Amino acid sequence: MKRLHGKWGDLGVRIISALVLLAIGVFAVLSGTIIFSVFVLIVVLIGIWELVQMGRFKSANVGFAFGDFFLLSGYAFFLCLAAVSLIFLHAGLDIIGVGYLILLVIVTDTLGYFVGRIVGGKKFWPSISPKKTWAGILGGWAGVAVLALLFSSLDIMQGISTLMFVLFSVAMSFASQMGDIAESALKRRMGVKDSSNIIPGHGGVLDRFDALLAASVIMLGLIFSLI
């Protein structure tokens, strides 16, 4: 029983924080592009602040190298690119399109968490993200494939077949997972466990939104490839 509690000990706090974030996100999406853009910019600014704090932490503990500056600057650029992608997507697609992207990331993250914890098994990339398993990765893909089939009738990305829509959705799911992996690698480089501690059970803004930011860039790229 103690082992089970340790395995799921953070679940309650994670769920409460996730529900609050979801409510804020839904409000931002439904309030129009201007409000949504402000929300995105706030997230990005907090994310950049977290990057600065990571750099300060490493500088104070083990020393700050040029490579660290390069990585932090590159990630900051990625955040800005992701912000532009999200704002373009909100302005160019209807609410269903942006809502689908958010739901896709939630399904990927949720199934990855539960399937990974329940099934366990071989680690996906143990040197960077020791908690992620192949079972969790594949569980996220499977859930998103089902989600894509359910949404295919809504014709979110017009002009493509159901099969292509499912493949695009799985590609965005994988991008969201790689966004999480990339942020984990950056944190390991900086010697921190979380980007900050402002979101109970989740860490910082980057810890919670890294997957969505990465998926948004891929989604915008896929849309432009179809034009």
Side-chain angles (χ1 to χ4, degrees), residues 32-49:
T33 300
I34 294 178
I35 298 297
F36 181 76
S37 299
V38 171
F39 173 75
V40 171
L41 291 176
I42 290 173
V43 168
V44 169
L45 288 174
I46 295 175
I48 292 175
W49 171 79

Side-chain angles (χ1 to χ4, degrees), residues 154-226:
L154 299 178
D155 203 20
I156 296 172
M157 296 178 69
Q158 300 177 5
I160 66 174
S161 66
T162 298
L163 176 60
M164 192 62 68
F165 181 65
V166 171
L167 293 176
F168 278 175
S169 296
V170 173
M172 288 186 288
S173 174
F174 184 57
S176 74
Q177 292 166 336
M178 289 299 98
D180 186 51
I181 292 282
E183 200 245 349
S184 294
L186 181 64
K187 288 188 296 185
R188 278 187 172 272
R189 170 93 181 202
M190 297 299 133
V192 299
K193 182 180 182 295
D194 297 314
S195 59
S196 71
N197 59 359
I198 63 176
I199 305 177
H202 294 272
V205 161
L206 295 181
D207 298 319
R208 185 63 276 163
F209 290 98
D210 51 1
L212 177 63
L213 295 171
S216 68
V217 174
I218 298 302
M219 186 175 187
L220 187 64
L222 291 174
I223 291 176
F224 275 121
S225 71
L226 296 174

Side-chain angles (χ1 to χ4, degrees), residues 4-15 105-120 131-133 135-140 177 180 201-202 208:
L4 182 63
H5 176 75
K7 193 174 185 179
W8 304 97
D10 63 342
L11 183 58
V13 176
R14 286 176 63 91
I15 290 176
V105 173
I106 291 174
V107 169
T108 300
D109 185 61
T110 302
L111 285 181
Y113 178 83
F114 282 105
V115 174
R117 292 289 179 99
I118 294 171
V119 176
K131 291 185 179 180
K132 275 196 175 1
T133 64
I137 293 289
L138 296 176
Q177 292 166 336
D180 186 51
H202 294 272
R208 185 63 276 163

Side-chain angles (χ1 to χ4, degrees), residues 74-91:
Y75 202 93
F77 174 78
F78 162 74
L79 290 180
C80 295
L81 178 63
V84 172
S85 298
L86 280 171
I87 293 171
F88 263 88
L89 289 171
H90 192 280

Side-chain angles (χ1 to χ4, degrees), residues 114-160:
F114 282 105
V115 174
R117 292 289 179 99
I118 294 171
V119 176
K122 188 176 179 60
K123 303 297 183 181
F124 176 71
W125 203 333
S127 62
I128 294 178
S129 186
K131 291 185 179 180
K132 275 196 175 1
T133 64
W134 273 104
I137 293 289
L138 296 176
W141 294 358
V144 165
V146 173
L147 179 71
L149 288 173
L150 294 175
F151 270 75
S152 59
S153 61
L154 299 178
D155 203 20
I156 296 172
M157 296 178 69
Q158 300 177 5
I160 66 174

